[in-house]
Amino acid sequence: MNLEHVLLTRDADFVTITMNRPQRRNALSLAHLRELIEAFGAAGDSDASGIILAGAGPVFSAGHDFADVAEADLDGVSAILDTCLQLMELIESVPQPVVARVHGLATAAGCQLVATCDLAVAADSAGFAAPGGKGGWFCHTPMVAIARDIGRKRAAEMAYTGDTITAAQALDWGLVNRVVPAAELDDAVADLLGRATRGSRASKALGKRTLHQQLPLPRADAYRLATKVMAESSQSAAAREGMAAFLGKRPPKWTD
């Protein structure tokens, strides 16, 4: 792939997608969004077991690139936001667990990226904000993902005030899974993703898909869906091997 704004690397079973516009604070221009979609599509179609989303430079991502938005008409802005939505939906639909490696500030759509990833590990120097509330363009779309992570009252505080919360607050509020010293960030990301990718890849992919499908459903509907999927998946090769290994007191042998 010929990518200008994104770095795509692989280390063993993990693919790292790095936003590489440090001079623009990894702002999400339309071209940048399209390259992220291309990178996630390639990673999702690969045999990698996990994906890391990172940012180059001092900032994880400053959100939408106002240089694009300020010059765009309604159709142009709609195209940017629709492309951003396509990226968020792709992160949720790729079969691998996706972990955000947040080393610095993540604001607006950058914070939306963190909330959309399956997992997130932050350096203790990171910060998170939806700053539109203190400006003229409210963070409507970022709050869809953020509010589902942190709940209504905390989402309202972030959205209305526009204040930056610390990594410790983000951990307490449920926006990230771990907070570590910056020097330990890579090890913490690798450790969490390593544990999150154990087992059958096919089973994990089905689990991720069903988790995202059931979360917005009413409780009774969520149980009906989960019961159906769990019953059907009990007949899979992965489930059979996992149960046989447990009963036989031996390590499982995954074929996927």
Side-chain angles (χ1 to χ4, degrees), residues 31-178:
H32 191 186
L33 288 167
R34 287 171 173 163
E35 288 194 6
L36 285 168
I37 289 170
E38 186 176 359
F40 269 102
D45 290 339
S46 75
D47 63 353
S49 60
I51 301 172
I52 299 166
L53 176 63
V59 171
F60 178 77
S61 175
H64 289 296
D65 193 333
F66 280 9
D68 274 12
V69 178
E71 298 178 357
D73 59 12
L74 176 59
D75 288 341
V77 176
S78 296
I80 293 169
L81 296 176
D82 286 344
T83 305
C84 186
L85 174 58
Q86 184 182 349
L87 172 61
M88 303 300 165
E89 291 178 335
L90 180 58
I91 290 171
E92 292 186 348
S93 67
V94 292
Q96 301 93 337
V98 180
V99 57
R101 176 196 180 278
V102 191
H103 68 290
L105 190 63
T107 64
C111 192
Q112 181 184 2
L113 279 171
V114 177
T116 300
C117 289
D118 300 298
L119 305 164
V121 180
D124 54 12
S125 55
F128 304 84
K134 61 181 179 182
W137 195 33
F138 197 86
C139 288
H140 301 282
T141 52
M143 293 314 302
V144 173
I146 296 168
R148 280 160 172 76
D149 270 6
I150 68 177
R152 186 169 69 90
K153 287 291 195 297
R154 286 166 171 169
E157 181 177 343
M158 279 193 75
Y160 300 164
T161 68
D163 291 343
T164 299
I165 65 170
T166 65
Q169 283 178 286
L171 178 63
D172 181 56
W173 288 10
L175 187 59
V176 301
N177 299 88
R178 302 281 187 279

